Amino acid sequence: MPKIDPIRPTDEDARQLARNLLATASYAALGVLDPETGAPVVTRIALAQTDSGAITTLISDLSAHTRALRANANASLLVGEPGDKGDPLTFARMSLSTRAAFVTRDSDDGTRIRDYWMQHRPKSKIYIDFADFHFVRFELTAIALNGGFGKAYRLTPADLA
């Protein structure tokens, strides 16, 4: 019996769904590897996609995931939340394979990200300039989109551009 590939060909509807999931995500589950044990660790982070398309977060040195990202830049993000009713597995979600890059605060990129962050998350004014907080930009390496039951796609970073 021939093996059937459950992954659908990527089409414009899948690309648009992926773009929408990312554009509307205000937080994500972040997966990293603990540098001491190598065990996977998952946490929730604030997330924003800037006007230029950069996928960013603001994290503190006090968090374990910051130490993990400094030790190993490979990370994953899960965006997309289930609705209020129904089977959570029928709602769209997307796993992003990424490489994390810490952004120098006083660089042009750091200033742009800070301005965007403050515009969209004004409550972060309380802590955004603390010395232990850093912006991180996530560079996409691969994307797995689940558009709901039976709607699986593999996308490339270019599909989200």
Side-chain angles (χ1 to χ4, degrees):
M1 181 170 214
K3 185 175 179 181
I4 298 173
D5 186 358
I7 306 300
R8 292 182 176 196
T10 300
D11 58 18
E12 193 51 38
D13 288 342
R15 289 183 193 93
Q16 191 58 51
L17 175 58
R19 289 183 200 117
N20 288 343
L21 281 170
L22 190 55
T24 60
S26 60
Y27 56 91
L30 169 67
V32 296
L33 295 176
D34 183 297
E36 293 176 18
T37 66
V41 177
V42 178
T43 188
R44 186 179 313 274
I45 59 167
L47 192 73
Q49 185 178 28
T50 68
D51 293 334
S52 68
I55 303 165
T56 62
T57 192
L58 177 65
I59 57 177
S60 168
D61 286 334
L62 301 175
S63 63
H65 53 267
T66 301
R67 289 186 297 281
L69 288 173
R70 288 195 185 280
N72 181 346
N74 293 312
S76 62
L77 297 167
L78 175 66
V79 297
E81 294 298 315
D84 294 335
K85 295 181 181 179
D87 185 341
L89 298 181
T90 63
F91 292 91
R93 63 250 186 222
M94 182 169 55
S95 294
L96 308 169
S97 297
T98 70
R99 297 253 328 141
F102 284 81
V103 178
T104 305
R105 187 178 291 271
D106 59 354
S107 67
D108 288 344
D109 196 23
T111 300
R112 278 191 300 275
I113 292 170
R114 185 191 184 284
D115 290 347
Y116 184 90
W117 202 267
M118 285 299 300
Q119 180 182 0
H120 292 87
R121 296 183 182 275
K123 290 183 179 182
S124 66
K125 181 180 183 179
I126 298 167
Y127 54 84
I128 196 169
D129 292 322
F130 288 179
D132 67 302
F133 276 84
H134 310 278
F135 285 106
V136 173
R137 185 180 53 250
F138 295 101
E139 303 294 335
L140 295 173
T141 58
I143 301 131
L145 171 66
N146 186 320
F149 188 78
K151 298 177 185 174
Y153 304 89
R154 285 188 195 98
L155 287 83
T156 67
D159 288 317
L160 295 185

